[in-house]
Amino acid sequence: MADNARAKKLADLIREVVAQKLQRGIKDPRLGTHVTITDTRVTGDLREATVFYTVYGDDEDRASAAAGLESAKGILRSAVGAAAGTKFTPTLTFVADALPENAKTIEDLLDKARASDAAVREVSSGATYAGDADPYKKPGDEDDEGTAAE
């Protein structure tokens, strides 16, 4: 088993090599400039690498980019092997990154919370206190009550 630092270095190298090869070396029109490599993870034994990517576009663009990455997997693995210089080149698995969808979901929830806060703020703008503005007794208030009882 390799240490985590070595796996991290290899993951960074794979991310850089795959991104550069997609940008300059592969002439597949399905990939183009729409694919962005977001993260790479390598297993502890350095045998398998998972490459996370996002695609700018609609579902059809995502499907064609996934097919393009699958067909270019061998070329990309060869480029990684040449750059890494390791005994065994890790197998590449491409996974669409769910980060943009998660970010959109969080942004929608924050918008709902902002709207709810604005509604509460609007309703409470003319509201008054149920009792006094300051419901707590002060030390001077007890002295006044004590002198009245005597």
Side-chain angles (χ1 to χ4, degrees):
M1 297 275 299
D3 57 17
N4 286 339
R6 187 168 179 197
K8 174 90 171 96
K9 282 174 113 176
L10 184 60
D12 291 342
L13 177 73
I14 291 171
R15 186 178 68 240
E16 291 295 322
V17 169
V18 169
Q20 286 177 0
K21 193 71 173 171
L22 285 176
Q23 186 178 20
R24 295 189 190 115
I26 296 182
K27 305 295 183 208
D28 193 342
R30 297 176 290 185
L31 300 175
T33 59
H34 302 319
V35 177
T36 303
I37 304 300
T38 56
D39 193 20
T40 306
R41 296 186 186 145
V42 178
T43 58
D45 61 357
L46 307 179
R47 295 284 180 164
E48 297 175 15
T50 305
V51 180
F52 294 93
Y53 67 94
T54 58
V55 178
Y56 182 73
D58 57 0
D59 290 336
E60 183 179 321
D61 292 335
R62 288 185 190 101
S64 67
L69 286 170
E70 209 47 47
S71 70
K73 188 184 286 189
I75 296 168
L76 294 171
R77 185 172 181 221
S78 297
V80 167
T86 56
K87 188 178 206 180
F88 180 82
T89 303
T91 57
L92 302 177
T93 305
F94 292 96
V95 176
D97 199 353
L99 186 67
E101 289 83 17
N102 291 344
K104 181 160 177 31
T105 302
I106 290 171
E107 192 62 38
D108 291 343
L109 291 173
L110 288 174
D111 287 342
K112 285 181 185 177
R114 285 185 198 107
S116 175
D117 288 348
V120 168
R121 195 176 307 115
E122 186 178 320
V123 167
S124 67
S125 65
T128 59
Y129 293 104
D132 294 333
D134 187 11
Y136 298 104
K137 291 184 178 181
K138 297 186 176 62
D141 293 343
E142 290 179 13
D143 292 340
D144 295 338
E145 290 176 9
T147 56
E150 287 180 27

